[in-house]
Amino acid sequence: MDLVIDNLRLAELVAIVRQNESFFDSFVQFLVEHGYTDIHAFINEPEDNKALAVIESYLQYADKAILYDGIGRPYASDLAKWYFLAWTMRDAPAQRLGPLLRSVEGNSLGERKAKLLNEVRKFVGPLFPEAEKWTWPTISEVMLARLEGSRRALKGNTFENTVRTAIRAVIAKNILDLKVGDSQVRIGDETYDVQIIGKTRTILVPVKTRETMGGGHANLFTRDIHKAISVAQENGYECIPVVIAESWRGNLDSLSCKHVIYLPINPNQTDKVAVMLYDAINQIVAALKELEQ
């Protein structure tokens, strides 16, 4: 097995962050046009109403610069500015600020966002009084961490679609009377990414990916696979887990299911994953044919 020593995930994220520097530069230029020398000067604006007006104006600003998400897709302009300001102020726009936004008063969504961000500005300014904390080298590190979080979720959806596409291709090739669901299935706190629907039975397919090797999280990863299988079976479903992990120490024979698709590859090698996945699913065609009965 060829191990991938290079941290492909980090390399991809760094490339995206570098693309996003132009968005940072555009924001700084916007502040300069509004009388500030840099972000540090704006964060420490003593006049509350003035800072609020600048934030609201920026949220309405027709910025041509593009902000990219964790897998390199451009954010919509309104979302990009909201996310960027929140990240710059060391906050989480979706997880923390989103719920708070519902309680903020205002005549428009933009006004409510501006009010909330201005409160965050006043809070975070004294926590980071040094000017260098508001320069690109520092903000880029913050952005890297935020994009990594979004990338995990986005990559998860990508693998889900890859598995769904591969299964549909195998079904079409073998002319099987089966359907592949378009959405996930949730049982309690367990989520199954793909469902293969037969005449009287359904197979649930959880997709489990892991980039790193060893450590305590590896045990949690293995435990998650066992749990996904047991919950599916307890609720009357068959389960075929798809495991994509470069160096998984789990014992395939210990899994209480007839079939498991294990790809011993770094999940960041997306092109190879798609090919290997198609080949692996072709090897369990007999199990899929049984589902037709």
Side-chain angles (χ1 to χ4, degrees), residues 201-216:
R201 295 177 295 137
T202 296
I203 293 176
L204 298 183
V205 183
V207 181
K208 305 293 184 179
T209 64
R210 180 170 170 80
E211 298 179 15
T212 55
M213 301 182 292

Side-chain angles (χ1 to χ4, degrees), residues 98-276:
L100 290 175
L101 194 59
R102 303 188 193 106
S103 302
V104 178
E105 295 182 356
N107 296 322
S108 66
L109 179 60
E111 183 181 339
R112 288 160 50 212
K113 284 181 176 180
K115 286 183 176 180
L116 182 56
L117 286 169
N118 191 46
E119 293 302 315
V120 175
R121 176 193 69 86
K122 290 186 290 183
F123 173 78
V124 79
L127 297 179
F128 300 97
E130 303 87 357
E132 61 267 22
K133 296 295 186 181
W134 304 97
T135 60
W136 172 245
T138 301
I139 298 301
S140 67
E141 292 286 346
V142 176
M143 186 178 292
L144 182 68
R146 291 300 181 188
L147 289 179
E148 183 173 17
S150 74
R151 182 180 183 278
R152 290 194 194 101
L154 294 168
K155 277 286 187 178
N157 291 335
T158 298
F159 285 121
E160 173 188 324
N161 291 330
T162 300
V163 172
R164 188 176 286 115
T165 298
I167 293 174
R168 282 175 171 156
V170 171
I171 288 174
K173 175 188 174 184
N174 291 276
I175 317 176
L176 302 177
D177 187 17
L178 302 174
K179 295 181 180 180
V180 178
D182 292 322
S183 59
Q184 298 177 333
V185 173
R186 191 170 184 84
I187 303 177
D189 61 353
E190 201 66 39
T191 300
Y192 298 86
D193 303 279
V194 182
Q195 53 180 326
I196 310 172
I197 305 168
K199 291 183 178 179
T200 60
R201 295 177 295 137
T202 296
I203 293 176
L204 298 183
V205 183
V207 181
K208 305 293 184 179
T209 64
R210 180 170 170 80
E211 298 179 15
T212 55
M213 301 182 292
H217 289 294
N219 295 328
L220 293 175
F221 180 71
T222 301
R223 188 179 70 182
D224 286 346
I225 298 170
H226 281 282
K227 183 184 176 187
I229 295 170
S230 63
V231 169
Q233 293 174 343
E234 288 168 5
N235 286 273
Y237 296 97
E238 295 180 46
C239 185
I240 300 180
V242 172
V243 181
I244 307 172
E246 185 175 29
S247 185
W248 179 49
R249 300 285 191 262
N251 182 1
L252 292 177
D253 294 333
S254 71
L255 299 178
S256 59
C257 55
K258 293 181 180 179
H259 304 281
V260 57
I261 296 173
Y262 172 46
L263 306 185
I265 185 174
N266 188 309
N268 288 303
Q269 297 175 281
T270 51
D271 290 341
K272 288 186 178 180
V273 166
V275 174
M276 292 175 66

Side-chain angles (χ1 to χ4, degrees), residues 38-144:
D38 52 25
I39 296 179
H40 180 252
F42 166 69
I43 291 294
N44 290 281
E45 169 59 62
E47 295 184 27
D48 197 31
N49 289 336
K50 183 178 179 180
L52 178 61
V54 170
I55 294 174
E56 193 164 4
S57 177
Y58 178 68
L59 292 175
Q60 298 173 354
Y61 175 58
D63 195 351
K64 294 182 180 180
I66 298 174
L67 186 72
Y68 296 94
D69 67 17
I71 58 174
R73 302 181 310 183
Y75 283 112
S77 180
D78 290 348
L79 192 64
K81 287 176 286 189
W82 163 246
Y83 272 36
F84 175 77
L85 288 179
W87 292 343
T88 298
M89 297 178 195
R90 277 57 165 193
D91 220 317
Q95 295 90 338
R96 200 184 85 87
L97 297 186
L100 290 175
L101 194 59
R102 303 188 193 106
S103 302
V104 178
E105 295 182 356
N107 296 322
S108 66
L109 179 60
E111 183 181 339
R112 288 160 50 212
K113 284 181 176 180
K115 286 183 176 180
L116 182 56
L117 286 169
N118 191 46
E119 293 302 315
V120 175
R121 176 193 69 86
K122 290 186 290 183
F123 173 78
V124 79
L127 297 179
F128 300 97
E130 303 87 357
E132 61 267 22
K133 296 295 186 181
W134 304 97
T135 60
W136 172 245
T138 301
I139 298 301
S140 67
E141 292 286 346
V142 176
M143 186 178 292
L144 182 68

